[in-house]
Amino acid sequence: MKGPEPLIFELSSPGRKAYSLPASDVPEKDIRSLIPGGFLREGEPDLPEVSEVDVVRHYTRLSQLNHGVDIGFYPLGSCTMKYSPKVNEWAARLPGFAWLHPYQPEELVQGALQLMYELQQYLAEIGGVDKVSLQPAAGAHGELTGLLIIRAYHRHRGELGRDKIIVPDSAHGTNPASAAMTGCRIVEVKSDSRGGVDVGELEKVLDERVAALMLTNPNTLGLFDENIVRIARMVHDKGGLLYYDGANANAIMGYSRPGDMGFDVVHFNLHKTFSTPHGGGGPGSGPVGVKEKLIPFLPVPTVGFDGERYFLEYDRPLTIGQMKAFYGNFGVAVKAYAYIRALGAEGLKRVSENAVLNANYVMRRLLEWYDLPYDRHCKHEFVVNPRRIKDRTGVKTLDIAKRLLDYGVHPPTVYFPLIVDEALMIEPTETESQEALDYFVEALGKIAEEAERDPEKVKTAPHTTPVGRLDEAGAARRPVLRWRRGA
Ligand SMILES: *Cc1c(COP(=O)(O)O)cnc(C)c1O
């Protein structure tokens, strides 16, 4: 069978309709007197003319042109595209949660407040911090929130000169971007030969102007920083604070806690680690947790409990303010809560164990064809590159990623982190079977062999997808987001 044809996008046929409405009983002159002239449509709107079944088939077919974790393996490094149990979607859709209104009086929403309160507590426990805000809507938003808290803390102590944020060269792009939004200067620090923060380089940039060091641990190479306790001490000795980018929490749950490593502020990506599917632009959540001394600066409201009732806490005079309308993306919080309750402490620990085991399994098997720039055990993800393949055949990482699409697999993250040439950043996650992992390894192995035998085939991939190589810069800069007749 042939693949879906992108050409049959245009389905409009004059006069075809997906509705039948009774004739309007409002006289035309009444309409004219009610609606100001400039707003009145004179002709028919220029919309596709299609039947209901055309619409249903059109959108169903479009949904099938996309790869998703419900269709196949999705090892996009740093993104934790793991399978999220559907039962948690069911929980978020329960009418008692889904139909709440944020202005309902507290006594009528005690259940929802209890859920938020307990989720705050669970995340605080997982992160080793003292109090959590569920407000931020994403990881990057959590970073901004956390850095504003750090800025407020320094200002409150009269330390107005602390305007420097240190970010390692392996950091996710949102880290320096969030730091820039707080008006701080960004100072990059290099990684050492083992992939961690170069402590000697860090020493050189640490001074009384440091507001914070931002770090994810394990970092984007999937490597746990062996010097983290020492790094934390060095930053604290200069009066700076430590920010933990918790997007990689999938690697460490139940094994280590950022709060214990010395971090003062932590964010979580509920849409990576805690059962909200993502990648389609849907709502996310990036709760932020802090150590005791930073609680006064948290956004308002948080949820409190006086032993009898749950309530929204607004009384926080030093707060940085409100970071999002109402209380955060509540539906995402419900899913995280259901996930954490279902797994329990032991279950979360096993999530991380299996994520790390799967990553090390895939990494070791790939070394038959691919190269490992930092030869260490990884955590939940790792970075390899096709150094030998490229030297011998000219086939590059991008070609390999595109060819993987022909094998029905979403490619890994490519060309990131920037410190690895031709990087392939792979995060298998804990939700894949050994068969799925083996299929992926063998596909990458076959592509390596294809590169030797028939490099053109790899360089011109993909060959089986509805569209081939896209002009990605054009798609980002000149997006076509609207249907226009004949366009
Ligand atoms: C995904 C990610 C972020 C940003 O999180 P968003 O929710 O996408 O804003 C930050 N750091 C790392 C390491 C990430 O993987």
Side-chain angles (χ1 to χ4, degrees):
M1 211 181 91
K2 239 161 123 283
E5 281 280 354
L7 290 179
I8 53 172
F9 186 88
E10 177 56 77
L11 296 169
S12 194
S13 169
R16 194 168 289 168
K17 282 181 187 167
Y19 61 89
S20 71
L21 296 172
S24 170
D25 57 0
V26 184
E28 173 133 357
K29 67 170 180 7
D30 290 358
I31 298 177
R32 294 202 174 271
S33 68
L34 284 171
I35 302 175
F39 294 109
L40 211 54
R41 191 190 291 285
E42 292 300 337
E44 290 285 308
D46 192 19
L47 293 172
E49 296 177 83
V50 284
S51 68
E52 181 171 324
V53 68
D54 288 338
V55 175
V56 169
R57 287 184 183 156
H58 175 71
Y59 283 108
T60 304
R61 196 172 52 82
L62 283 186
S63 77
Q64 291 168 344
L65 297 182
N66 266 339
H67 189 87
V69 77
D70 288 351
I71 291 178
F73 191 40
Y74 206 146
L76 193 62
S78 208
C79 295
T80 313
M81 304 301 285
K82 65 187 190 182
Y83 175 76
S84 296
K86 299 286 184 246
V87 67
N88 300 325
E89 298 294 325
W90 165 83
R93 274 200 306 267
L94 286 171
F97 291 135
W99 290 95
L100 287 179
H101 192 282
Y103 281 140
Q104 261 169 282
E106 283 174 9
E107 57 274 23
L108 297 184
V109 293
Q110 283 294 301
L113 291 176
Q114 180 180 355
L115 182 146
M116 292 170 73
Y117 179 81
E118 289 180 4
L119 180 59
Q120 288 173 188
Q121 306 287 99
Y122 297 155
L123 293 173
E125 177 65 27
I126 293 165
V129 287
D130 297 306
K131 181 127 186 146
V132 167
S133 160
L134 300 177
Q135 260 181 41
H141 197 203
E143 291 166 20
L144 178 64
T145 303
L147 293 175
L148 290 176
I149 290 170
I150 288 173
R151 190 177 71 172
Y153 167 83
H154 290 311
R155 285 188 177 174
H156 182 65
R157 291 158 50 97
E159 302 206 29
L160 305 179
R162 292 197 181 267
D163 62 351
K164 200 156 115 176
I165 294 187
I166 302 174
V167 177
D169 57 6
S170 61
H172 192 268
T174 51
N175 290 188
S178 305
M181 284 185 75
T182 66
C184 284
R185 283 186 299 134
I186 294 132
V187 178
E188 192 176 271
V189 60
K190 290 214 177 332
S191 301
D192 64 15
S193 60
R194 292 192 46 84
V197 171
D198 188 317
V199 174
E201 294 290 316
L202 178 64
E203 187 73 59
K204 287 188 208 152
V205 296
L206 277 177
D207 58 22
E208 269 63 38
R209 296 195 74 98
V210 169
L213 168 73
M214 293 182 90
L215 213 60
T216 171
N217 194 24
N219 63 18
T220 58
L221 296 163
L223 299 174
F224 194 88
D225 202 307
E226 301 156 312
N227 298 314
I228 186 58
V229 173
R230 182 166 163 214
I231 290 168
R233 198 177 331 111
M234 287 166 68
V235 175
H236 283 150
D237 282 350
K238 292 289 182 193
L241 297 183
L242 280 97
Y243 183 92
Y244 185 83
D245 171 349
N248 293 334
N250 218 45
I252 60 159
M253 286 185 294
Y255 278 91
S256 66
R257 309 193 306 170
D260 301 334
M261 298 175 209
F263 288 90
D264 304 284
V265 186
V266 174
H267 88 247
F268 302 88
N269 294 57
L270 298 190
H271 49 285
K272 291 182 179 168
T273 318
F274 299 101
S275 197
T276 280
H278 62 119
S285 176
V288 165
V290 297
K291 289 275 181 70
E292 185 81 38
K293 62 176 183 282
L294 297 173
I295 293 177
F297 307 99
L298 275 176
V300 286
T302 42
V303 182
F305 180 52
D306 64 10
E308 274 181 21
R309 52 180 282 280
Y310 299 90
F311 56 94
L312 294 168
E313 301 171 310
Y314 283 96
D315 184 20
R316 190 172 287 138
L318 295 176
T319 178
I320 59 165
Q322 188 151 5
M323 290 302 290
K324 188 179 182 309
F326 303 114
Y327 328 111
N329 283 329
F330 178 67
V332 181
V334 175
K335 288 183 249 183
Y337 180 86
Y339 183 74
I340 293 171
R341 288 296 299 254
L343 287 174
E346 273 312 305
L348 290 178
K349 211 169 161 182
R350 294 207 45 213
V351 163
S352 290
E353 270 168 27
N354 286 327
V356 171
L357 180 64
N358 284 359
N360 279 283
Y361 174 74
V362 173
M363 179 176 89
R364 290 295 157 195
R365 282 206 64 193
L366 284 178
L367 298 189
E368 190 179 336
W369 311 278
Y370 296 82
D371 297 275
L372 188 61
Y374 300 91
D375 190 6
R376 292 173 54 186
H377 291 309
C378 64
K379 289 291 173 280
H380 65 311
E381 66 189 2
F382 59 91
V383 178
V384 290
N385 63 11
R387 189 177 48 76
R388 277 168 291 166
I389 300 171
K390 190 181 162 201
D391 286 352
R392 294 164 55 93
T393 69
V395 163
K396 298 202 285 269
T397 283
L398 184 69
D399 306 319
I400 294 166
K402 295 295 184 194
R403 183 66 179 139
L404 266 175
L405 292 167
D406 290 331
Y407 286 89
V409 172
H410 194 286
T413 299
V414 292
Y415 298 103
F416 181 81
L418 303 174
I419 53 175
V420 174
D421 195 34
E422 297 285 326
L424 278 160
M425 183 200 213
I426 298 169
E427 180 177 6
T429 82
E430 75 283 5
T431 56
E432 298 298 327
S433 65
Q434 184 171 354
E435 290 80 2
L437 301 179
D438 285 339
Y439 178 83
F440 174 67
V441 167
E442 282 149 26
L444 275 171
K446 277 191 199 140
I447 294 170
E449 284 150 22
E450 284 171 356
E452 299 279 344
R453 238 183 17 249
D454 187 2
E456 271 318 295
K457 185 163 190 182
V458 183
K459 287 181 187 170
T460 52
H463 303 289
T464 60
T465 51
V467 287
R469 295 203 185 192
L470 301 171
D471 171 5
E472 286 168 16
R477 298 209 176 115
R478 296 182 303 279
V480 180
L481 302 175
R482 263 188 68 193
W483 177 87
R484 279 198 186 79
R485 191 182 296 279

